[in-house]
Amino acid sequence: MIWNPEIECADRQQLHEIQSKRLARTIQRLYDNVPFYRNKLNEAGIKPGDVGSVDQLKRLPFTTKTDLRDNYPFGLFTVPQSDVVRIHASSGTTGKPTVVGYTQHDLEIWAEVVARSLTMAGIHGGDTIQIAYGYGPFTGGLGLHYGAEKVGATVIPISTGNTKKQLQFMTDFGATILACTPSYAAHLGESIRKEGISPEEIKLRTGVFGAEPWTNEMRSEIEQLLQIKAYDIYGLSEVIGPGVSMECECQCGNHIFEDHFIPEIIDPETLEVLPDGELGELVFTSVSKVAMPLLRYRTRDLTRLHREKCDCGRTLVRMDKCLGRTDDMLIIRGVNVFPTQIEAVLMEITETSPHYQLIIKRENNLDSLEILVEIDEKNWSDSIRELEGIRGRIDHNIKSMLGISAKIRLVEPNSIERSEGKAKRVIDHRKC
Ligand code: DLL
């Protein structure tokens, strides 16, 4: 089923017209109401009315996370605060949080794109969805919540954490859908086994996982652990929250809801727009939000776009699973490494659990990468020979993938700290 077939299957020309009209309106709104954008547009020599088509998107200035911080908290709002009915914020690791605001209209759009997302994964009225994303300033919990209600599902708004209660609700209330980060899904899957809960007690069918990078190899692990089909949901608070894009049943990339969020891929160094199919930084222009639309927002997420029509019938552009964020890229002895590349290698080794950590140090002016790999319960052994065999295989596979060696340390089952939200997989002592 398709939630909004007129838009999701619209022909490209029709989408182009909708985008162009909305873009022009957004530029006018920003010019009239936000001094930051008025200045930026003036500097670029652009007056509202100059940009009548999305083809001219590349003339517009970029927006960065720093711009949001510089205008903290409400400097980018286009409406008086009395029209803002919700505020979310992402904590960020350093400095001020990033604040986003929503009008009633914005919340309706958000519920609509999440409803489209859930429908893409075959979720419908009659399903019971356990939302184990955090409720609060983070957009995961409330974002999924209103979309799930819109499709008519029964919502269990349990939020994150308290794994015992998660399992109790899951079994007693018969949850058919689980929504949380993939790392927490893996933890829940292991906990079900550990508690000896029988598969008949679990009714789960589908997972809606996102908010952090995860590989297809991790998907297989989770699908096996939970005996479900796992779908990728992508989003960021600056653009709206979860529901910017979602995988359909074909699972060949996430469809972006382009009638609201126009994507581009740029080279993060030269800032040039790259053709479809090339890897680069994802940039979004939000064209229907009222409280805080953004022009060409640089997400720092690395991916590719594909525009061929999908077998599901949707014409919406697709983005590949994110490789990671530009700022997650590790440079180790001159080699660029993304944690997801390491994850893909580790998840191919059947004896490991889906938990790992990367520790980077600089000693004697030389970078070192240590990979902590957790062995799963049934393969943890007292035999040094067996463990050494596993370690040797990981060592070999990592070396052939990265081209540099890493120190592989096998650790006991359950010894790597579990995350309930976004996993922290990298500890880079060079930055301390
Ligand atoms: O993580 C919104 C969200 C909630 C998405 C629940 C999906 C599910 P932020 O906290 O603002 O918002 O973080 C946004 O998280 O720029 C990506 O780097 C990363 N991210 C989000 N979804 C995915 C995904 C939410 N499916 C940042 N795959 C984004 C990879 C993701 N990375």
Side-chain angles (χ1 to χ4, degrees):
M1 210 189 109
I2 298 180
W3 181 262
N4 187 340
E6 290 90 75
I7 288 292
E8 294 177 68
C9 305
D11 70 56
R12 302 283 326 164
Q13 183 55 33
Q14 199 186 339
L15 256 178
H16 189 276
E17 279 162 25
I18 295 173
Q19 290 176 329
S20 298
K21 210 162 85 195
R22 291 183 177 173
L23 175 64
R25 205 171 53 197
T26 299
I27 294 172
Q28 183 76 55
R29 166 179 287 285
L30 289 170
Y31 194 88
D32 292 344
N33 298 290
V34 183
F36 165 81
Y37 273 119
R38 189 160 47 245
N39 293 338
K40 276 218 160 196
L41 289 165
N42 281 338
E43 275 166 29
I46 298 168
K47 291 269 170 293
D50 286 356
V51 177
S53 159
V54 278
D55 299 335
Q56 291 163 300
L57 205 56
K58 53 171 156 317
R59 289 182 58 199
L60 298 175
F62 288 105
T63 311
T64 63
K65 206 175 187 78
T66 311
D67 295 327
L68 265 69
R69 295 217 166 104
D70 290 347
N71 288 283
Y72 176 88
F74 305 143
L76 296 181
F77 287 9
T78 71
V79 291
Q81 217 193 310
S82 53
D83 289 348
V84 174
V85 297
R86 177 99 65 80
I87 287 167
H88 279 278
S90 64
S91 54
T93 39
T94 51
K96 291 174 190 158
T98 313
V99 179
V100 290
Y102 303 77
T103 62
Q104 194 64 52
H105 170 81
D106 296 336
L107 291 184
E108 279 157 24
I109 292 174
W110 195 8
E112 151 94 16
V113 289
V114 174
R116 287 187 200 170
S117 303
L118 297 176
T119 309
M120 261 193 212
I123 297 161
H124 44 69
D127 270 318
T128 299
I129 176 165
Q130 182 152 338
I131 301 183
Y133 285 114
Y135 278 66
F138 173 58
T139 52
L142 286 169
L144 262 294
H145 185 104
Y146 289 101
E149 286 189 349
K150 203 172 174 76
V151 299
T154 306
V155 173
I156 308 174
I158 188 163
S159 194
T160 193
N162 200 341
T163 300
K164 272 213 154 53
K165 184 166 268 164
Q166 299 275 357
L167 300 187
Q168 186 196 347
F169 280 17
M170 194 182 284
T171 47
D172 293 355
F173 302 168
T176 51
I177 313 296
L178 174 65
C180 61
T181 57
S183 48
Y184 193 47
H187 177 47
L188 285 172
E190 289 174 329
S191 306
I192 289 171
R193 287 197 180 175
K194 219 180 302 155
E195 296 290 321
I197 299 171
S198 76
E200 296 80 61
E201 288 178 79
I202 305 280
K203 303 277 181 299
L204 286 184
R205 181 183 85 241
T206 300
V208 182
F209 304 137
E212 64 186 9
W214 58 305
T215 55
N216 281 323
E217 290 76 9
M218 176 66 89
R219 186 207 304 272
S220 308
E221 284 270 337
I222 297 171
E223 287 186 334
Q224 244 184 4
L225 271 169
L226 284 165
Q227 292 296 302
I228 56 169
K229 194 160 162 61
Y231 287 87
D232 189 16
I233 186 164
Y234 168 90
L236 61 164
S237 43
E238 296 89 325
V239 172
I240 204 155
V244 172
S245 74
M246 175 81 190
E247 262 178 344
C248 66
E249 76 263 18
C250 302
Q251 298 197 312
C252 51
N254 288 30
H255 287 283
I256 298 172
F257 299 115
E258 291 176 82
D259 49 325
H260 300 301
F261 324 114
I262 306 179
E264 298 170 279
I265 294 287
I266 62 162
D267 178 322
E269 300 294 325
T270 65
L271 307 184
E272 286 301 314
V273 177
L274 297 176
D276 288 346
E278 282 198 26
L279 181 69
E281 181 180 347
L282 184 60
V283 168
F284 280 111
T285 300
S286 38
V287 288
S288 49
K289 268 176 79 193
V290 176
M292 207 184 117
L294 297 177
L295 297 181
R296 306 190 83 197
Y297 182 69
R298 294 187 56 183
T299 64
R300 302 193 239 182
D301 293 323
L302 291 169
T303 185
R304 299 179 177 83
L305 294 180
H306 303 282
R307 235 168 276 262
E308 317 82 56
K309 191 173 166 188
C310 180
D311 287 344
C312 74
R314 291 176 182 84
T315 46
L316 299 171
V317 64
R318 282 166 287 128
M319 58 182 265
D320 281 349
K321 252 176 160 328
C322 289
L323 178 61
R325 296 170 63 81
T326 46
D327 30 1
D328 286 344
M329 188 180 79
L330 306 167
I331 305 179
I332 296 162
R333 302 199 289 278
V335 176
N336 298 349
V337 182
F338 282 96
T340 48
Q341 295 174 293
I342 294 177
E343 177 178 297
V345 171
L346 299 180
M347 294 305 112
E348 291 284 333
I349 306 279
T350 49
E351 293 91 341
T352 61
S353 84
H355 304 280
Y356 61 94
Q357 215 159 45
L358 313 180
I359 299 173
I360 301 113
K361 290 188 189 143
R362 170 161 267 162
E363 288 160 338
N364 304 326
N365 282 326
L366 209 62
D367 300 325
S368 69
L369 167 64
E370 184 177 30
I371 307 178
L372 267 54
V373 188
E374 205 181 274
I375 298 298
D376 76 8
E377 205 103 43
K378 63 180 182 306
N379 289 296
W380 183 248
S381 160
D382 286 335
S383 153
I384 290 179
R385 187 199 297 252
E386 272 173 38
L387 291 179
E388 194 47 39
I390 301 172
R391 206 196 60 75
R393 263 186 291 141
I394 299 175
D395 192 33
H396 173 267
N397 292 359
I398 291 282
K399 203 179 285 170
S400 42
M401 193 269 301
L402 295 184
I404 54 167
S405 56
K407 183 174 169 198
I408 311 296
R409 179 144 61 99
L410 302 187
V411 297
E412 280 182 50
N414 302 311
S415 56
I416 292 180
E417 199 187 335
R418 303 301 192 243
S419 78
E420 296 168 345
K422 297 180 191 248
K424 178 148 178 47
R425 305 215 195 265
V426 178
I427 301 169
D428 194 340
H429 289 292
R430 298 173 303 182
K431 291 183 180 161
C432 298

